């Protein structure tokens, strides 16, 4: 009822200065709206807050159900214990390695192919685009992919994690439309100066595309950073596990890995206490949280670039 | 190798032609832009502007001019063939007996044996139903919510506040599904906040993740948490493109804000809505497989088990690869049919489509 009342009065749209025509009802709506949005923020943030609180609390306090938004028995012992575990750092290092290598490979594949299919005069261009786009709508599925990776001998190598995700068609199309919109005169001038296609690509097009390249790098690195499933499928050796898989095993509390690492951190029994899980999760999210405020707008602009193409 | 030689040779050749304009090489003569007087312009047009009348240029000339481009496409194409198309072809094992360690395309034809097997498998139909229910719930709840949130955000006039809400609401999108599952488990555990609230209100603690009747709510809830904020981006972008003179006109016609929203804003973002709806429908059977895998337990199989998790267990845990591939292929085909038909319907009904 309240909302419909609040919606009734006529007033200027958002962005238009607030005029005297703003009625009481509209102001009520604005207030309610702000309230709803604050609530949304709280709901989004609460899991982070409670995670942080748990990470600074003692296992006993969490077990007693005392920890919500504020740490109980504040301590940083858990952080010390987790960061002293060798496995934690191995998996962290693996994640960094897979992310860097994967992003580099993916960027090479994506930018070169995007450049080629951005050339509107190119014969067979539509075929090339079609080959890429088809894979968006029909993929092989888990089993054939698994069989393929196994028979290529990639199991238990970094490449099983890096290669399958190395070309996202969405990112490809975003780059393609960006390249298509670059001013043509520059390329023509370069051509008159005797540069071939590859020279133009390396010396003219790539330097002009720093913004979109940054966005794509972000997209790919987040995808690799967060990926756990290909590691879960294709890697059996603890020393190859990325952070996400280490974390998954910790959370699931199932495999031998976790029991061992629990022993390593000095916890007894197979059950990993909640504070250790919390600390590991906080440390896994941390890089994303630190970088996020600075790069967020690149992500947004990347999504918009993609949507322009439709 | 052939291609390389020819293309580099070609490139040099045309560049030569550029410098010594008056004498066009015989090869480039029939090609580009008839009517453009000098060779320079002709070559330029041929290379950068649209291709001159199709059919005139022979493949040899194309290769000479654009060979480098095809060469650049080789690596990505090889990637697509190996990592995207081979698995598609690998689906033939759904119709062939597969021996681990043998050919990825299987050993002998068995026809529709595995297809019949899953059609007669009651568990398959059970997980199919679970998948459809989860998919429908997700679509019904996670599709409209970003629109609502975007409309609410659009009414905010304080830019700083708007920006903060946006930043906060995008954040979950960047989290690994493992983290989301971990948070969910912590929040819903017997010691978690949710159960504390339940107990404070006089209820008894519920082990949510072990109760089949709660799984769907948990699944959709986490999905909302993770996707709704990010989902507003495209709508917010579409909202800025709505012509403000339409609002003016609507106001003059006496439309209040609610009516303006209904008659101007919503139609303005309809193409975006349709596009996203089509995409969502197409992926609707691929319900967040990874999340289900992380959150379900044998106790909740009755509501949580979906096609992908079932085929994962059948194929990779019990090693029935062919049987699992048959199920996967069926799922992929349904997905394809659904995108195509959603696209077809939307082109007919609202005149917007993906292609």
């Amino acid at each position: 009822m309240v909302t419909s009342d609040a919606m009734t009065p006529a007033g200027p749209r958002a962005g238009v200065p607030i005029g005297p025509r703003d009625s009481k009802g509209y102001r009520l709506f604005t207030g309610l709206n702000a309230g709803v949005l604050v609530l949304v923020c709280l709901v989004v943030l609460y899991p982070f807050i409670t995670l942080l609180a748990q990470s600074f609390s003692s296992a006993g306090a969490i077990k007693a159900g005392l920890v919500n938004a504020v740490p109980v028995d504040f301590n940083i012992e858990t952080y010390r214990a987790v960061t002293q575990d060798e496995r934690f750092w191995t998996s962290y290092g693996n994640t960094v390695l897979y992310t860097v290598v994967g992003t580099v490979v993916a960027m090479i594949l994506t930018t070169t192919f995007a450049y080629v299919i951005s050339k509107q005069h190119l014969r067979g261009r539509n075929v090339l685009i079609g080959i890429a786009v088809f894979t968006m709508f029909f993929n092989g599925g888990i089993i054939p992919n698994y069989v393929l990776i196994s028979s290529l001998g990639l199991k238990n190598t970094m490449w099983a994690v890096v290669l399958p995700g190395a070309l996202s068609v969405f990112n490809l199309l975003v780059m393609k439309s960006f390249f298509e919109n670059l001013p043509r005169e520059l390329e023509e001038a370069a051509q008159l100066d005797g540069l071939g296609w590859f020279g133009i690509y390396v010396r003219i097009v790539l330097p002009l595309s720093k913004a979109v390249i940054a966005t794509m790098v972000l997209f790919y690195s987040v995808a690799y950073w967060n990926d756990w499933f290909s590691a879960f499928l294709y890697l059996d050796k603890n020393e190859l596990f990325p952070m996400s898989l280490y974390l998954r095993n910790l959370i699931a509390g199932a495999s031998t890995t976790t029991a061992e690492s629990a022993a390593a951190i000095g916890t007894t029994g197979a059950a990993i206490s909640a504070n250790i899980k919390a600390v590991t999760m906080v440390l896994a999210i941390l890089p994303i949280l630190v970088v996020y405020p600075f790069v967020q707008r690149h992500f947004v602009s990347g999504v918009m670039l993609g949507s322009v193409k439709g | 190798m052939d291609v390389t030689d020819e293309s580099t040779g070609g490139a040099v050749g045309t560049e030569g032609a550029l410098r010594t304009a008056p004498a066009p090489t015989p090869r480039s003569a029939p090609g580009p832009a008839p009517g453009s007087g000098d060779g320079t312009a002709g070559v330029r047009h041929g290379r950068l502007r649209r291709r001159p009348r199709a059919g005139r240029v022979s493949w040899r000339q194309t290769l000479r001019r654009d060979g480098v481009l095809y060469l650049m496409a080789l690596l990505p194409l090889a990637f697509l063939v190996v990592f995207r198309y081979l698995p598609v072809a690998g689906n033939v094992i759904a119709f062939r007996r597969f021996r681990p360690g043998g050919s990825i395309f299987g050993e002998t034809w068995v026809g529709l044996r595995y297809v019949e097997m899953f059609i007669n498998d009651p568990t398959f139909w059970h997980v199919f139903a679970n998948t459809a229910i989860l998919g429908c719930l997700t679509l019904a709840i996670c599709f409209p919510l970003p629109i609502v949130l975007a409309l609410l955000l659009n009414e905010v006039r304080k830019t700083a506040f708007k920006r903060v809400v946006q930043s906060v609401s995008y954040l979950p999108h960047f989290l690994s599904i493992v983290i989301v599952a971990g948070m969910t488990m912590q929040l819903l555990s017997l010691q978690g906040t949710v159960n504390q609230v339940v107990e404070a209100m006089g209820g008894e603690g519920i082990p949510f993740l072990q109760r089949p009747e709660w799984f769907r709510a948990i699944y959709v809830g986490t999905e909302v948490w993770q996707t709704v904020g990010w989902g507003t981006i495209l709508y917010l972008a579409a909202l800025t493109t709505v012509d403000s003179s339409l609002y003016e006109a609507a106001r003059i016609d006496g439309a209040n804000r609610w009516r303006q929203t209904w008659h101007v804003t919503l139609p303005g973002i309809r193409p975006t809505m349709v596009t996203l709806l089509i995409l969502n429908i197409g992926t609707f059977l691929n319900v967040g497989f990874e999340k289900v895998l992380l959150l379900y337990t044998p106790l909740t199989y009755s509501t949580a088990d979906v096609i992908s998790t079932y085929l994962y267990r059948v194929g990779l845990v019990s090693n029935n690869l062919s049987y699992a591939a048959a199920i996967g292929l069926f799922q992929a085909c349904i997905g394809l049919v659904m995108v195509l038909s959603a696209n077809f319907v939307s082109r007919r009904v609202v005149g917007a489509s993906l292609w």
Side-chain angles (χ1 to χ4, degrees):
Chain A
M1 290 313 100
V2 186
T3 37
S4 68
D5 277 347
M7 295 279 199
T8 330
R13 300 300 298 188
V16 181
I18 308 167
R21 282 189 299 160
D22 265 13
S23 64
K24 214 192 252 171
Y26 182 65
R27 256 173 283 147
L28 181 64
F29 165 74
T30 319
L32 271 178
N33 189 17
V36 169
L37 292 176
V38 168
L39 198 69
V40 167
C41 286
L42 285 180
V43 169
V44 168
L45 288 179
Y46 185 75
F48 292 95
I49 295 169
T50 183
L51 193 65
L52 207 60
Q54 292 195 344
S55 75
F56 286 111
S57 302
S58 69
I62 300 175
K63 203 150 196 190
L66 297 173
V67 184
N68 290 314
V70 185
V72 178
D73 297 341
F74 184 91
N75 70 85
I76 54 165
E77 280 312 303
T78 330
Y79 278 91
R80 200 165 291 153
V82 169
T83 50
Q84 270 165 6
D85 184 8
E86 210 176 293
R87 289 235 168 100
F88 173 82
W89 290 112
T90 314
S91 64
Y92 223 97
N94 284 336
T95 293
V96 173
L97 177 72
Y98 300 161
T99 304
V100 171
V101 174
T103 307
V104 169
V105 172
M107 285 308 292
I108 292 174
L109 290 176
T110 310
T111 46
T112 44
F113 201 45
Y115 177 67
V116 173
I117 59 176
S118 72
K119 291 279 156 265
Q120 268 143 11
H121 74 273
L122 188 73
R123 236 179 169 186
R125 172 182 183 252
N126 288 332
V127 177
L128 292 179
I129 296 175
I131 287 175
V133 170
F134 174 77
T135 64
M136 255 175 134
F137 295 104
F138 196 90
N139 62 33
I142 304 166
I143 304 296
N145 270 306
Y146 180 83
V147 172
L148 175 78
I149 296 288
S150 314
S151 61
L152 287 176
L154 297 180
K155 273 193 84 176
N156 280 318
T157 69
M158 161 171 90
W159 303 107
V161 178
V162 163
L163 287 178
L167 205 162
S168 137
V169 177
F170 175 81
N171 291 356
L172 179 76
L173 294 179
V174 170
M175 287 222 98
K176 167 182 154 284
S177 62
F178 184 87
F179 288 156
E180 277 169 356
N181 291 326
L182 285 177
R184 235 167 244 187
E185 292 72 22
L186 286 164
E187 287 194 55
E188 291 180 14
Q191 210 153 34
L192 285 175
D193 289 343
L195 278 182
W197 288 123
F198 191 71
I200 295 179
Y201 165 64
V202 174
R203 297 219 213 133
I204 311 286
V205 173
L206 289 186
L208 281 175
S209 313
K210 282 187 195 120
V212 74
I213 288 176
T215 308
M216 293 296 114
V217 165
L218 289 174
F219 275 143
Y220 278 122
S221 25
V222 168
Y224 279 112
W225 187 272
N226 287 338
D227 175 52
W228 72 284
F229 191 62
S230 44
F232 175 69
L233 279 186
Y234 305 128
L235 305 180
D236 307 323
K237 294 186 184 146
N238 286 330
E239 66 267 24
L240 291 173
F241 285 0
M243 190 66 208
S244 51
L245 187 53
Y246 172 83
L247 197 57
R248 180 261 169 196
N249 290 340
L250 204 65
I251 292 166
S255 78
T256 50
T257 335
T258 43
E260 280 166 40
S261 66
I265 329 175
T267 341
T268 44
I272 313 290
S273 57
N275 55 343
I276 291 176
K277 292 183 191 175
V279 166
T280 318
M281 283 200 264
V282 168
L283 292 175
I285 311 174
L286 201 61
I288 292 186
L289 283 189
V290 169
V291 179
Y292 176 71
F294 304 101
V295 298
Q296 189 227 90
R297 65 195 170 85
H298 288 288
F299 282 112
V300 176
S301 68
V303 174
M304 308 251 233
L305 264 172
S307 72
V308 173
K309 181 74 202 109
Chain B
M1 232 53 267
D2 249 306
V3 184
T4 334
D5 293 341
E6 211 186 330
S7 61
T8 44
V12 172
T14 29
E15 253 104 57
L18 281 174
R19 300 233 171 78
T20 58
T25 53
R27 279 173 191 167
S28 70
S36 60
D38 66 324
T40 318
V43 171
R44 215 164 73 194
H45 275 274
R47 284 186 130 195
L48 287 175
R49 294 274 153 75
R50 63 212 78 78
R51 171 153 61 98
R53 304 285 150 258
R56 289 275 189 85
V57 190
S58 76
W59 269 107
R60 258 183 67 177
Q61 284 168 330
T62 311
L63 266 188
R64 195 156 42 82
R65 195 184 57 193
D66 295 328
V68 181
L69 288 177
Y70 292 117
L71 212 62
M72 287 169 74
L74 270 188
L75 196 61
L77 275 182
F79 171 85
L80 286 175
V81 168
V82 173
F83 288 100
R84 296 287 185 271
Y85 283 87
L86 270 185
V88 171
N91 274 307
V92 294
I93 64 167
F95 310 106
R96 291 167 74 87
R97 195 181 308 282
F98 178 80
R99 186 171 54 80
S103 156
I104 71 163
F105 301 119
E107 310 294 325
T108 44
W109 289 102
V110 294
L112 296 178
R113 200 186 130 181
Y114 296 110
V115 176
E116 277 164 24
M117 221 162 116
F118 79 68
I119 286 179
N120 295 320
D121 178 355
T123 320
F124 170 77
W125 291 108
H126 182 75
V127 297
F128 185 83
N130 275 345
T131 313
I133 293 170
L134 269 187
C136 286
L137 283 175
T138 313
L139 192 65
I141 295 169
C142 293
F143 174 70
L145 279 182
I147 303 175
V148 174
L149 185 58
L151 289 176
L152 292 182
L153 276 169
N154 198 43
E155 297 295 330
V156 175
R157 287 185 192 150
K158 291 203 183 73
T159 331
F161 177 62
K162 186 175 172 184
R163 208 164 284 161
V164 169
V165 177
Q166 282 177 281
S167 297
V168 168
S169 67
Y170 296 163
L171 188 55
H173 174 81
F174 296 98
L175 294 189
S176 168
I177 201 77
V178 178
I179 303 272
V180 176
M183 285 176 161
T184 311
M185 289 175 186
Q186 304 255 34
L187 278 175
L188 296 180
S189 72
L190 278 174
Q191 300 84 39
T193 304
V194 176
N195 268 321
Q196 289 177 45
V197 173
V198 170
E199 277 162 24
M201 297 198 310
E204 200 148 299
I206 305 167
F208 288 99
L209 283 162
Q210 287 154 30
R211 292 284 169 82
E213 67 270 26
W214 280 102
F215 187 84
R216 287 176 184 140
I218 294 168
Y219 177 88
V220 176
T222 52
E223 201 69 11
V224 166
W225 185 76
Q226 205 179 6
T227 61
V228 166
W230 188 251
T232 59
I233 292 180
L234 292 178
Y235 292 114
L236 286 172
L239 283 170
T240 60
T241 64
V242 178
D243 190 351
S244 57
S245 64
L246 290 177
Y247 290 118
E248 206 69 43
R251 240 182 346 256
I252 291 165
D253 288 347
N256 59 36
R257 292 188 68 84
W258 177 242
R259 294 201 146 267
Q260 286 173 39
T261 302
W262 189 251
H263 291 291
V264 180
T265 314
L266 284 178
I269 60 173
R270 195 168 63 180
T272 312
M273 284 162 62
V274 171
T275 312
L276 290 178
L277 186 62
I278 297 173
L279 287 175
N280 281 345
I281 289 176
T283 53
F284 126 108
L285 276 191
N286 305 352
V287 284
F289 158 57
E290 295 184 14
K291 192 160 77 186
V292 177
L293 200 60
L294 288 165
L295 286 178
Y296 79 164
T297 71
L299 291 174
T300 50
Y301 278 179
S302 61
T303 54
D305 204 8
V306 293
I307 301 178
S308 312
T309 49
Y310 181 58
L311 80 84
Y312 162 77
R313 287 201 315 276
V314 167
L316 298 178
V317 181
S318 324
N319 256 318
N320 273 323
L321 289 162
S322 283
Y323 182 40
I327 298 176
L329 184 60
F330 176 72
Q331 190 185 11
C333 289
I334 293 188
L336 190 64
V337 169
M338 295 203 59
V339 186
L340 293 178
S341 40
N343 196 45
F344 177 78
V345 168
S346 88
R347 187 162 43 196
R348 278 293 159 84
V349 178
V350 284
S353 69
L354 284 181
W355 58 82

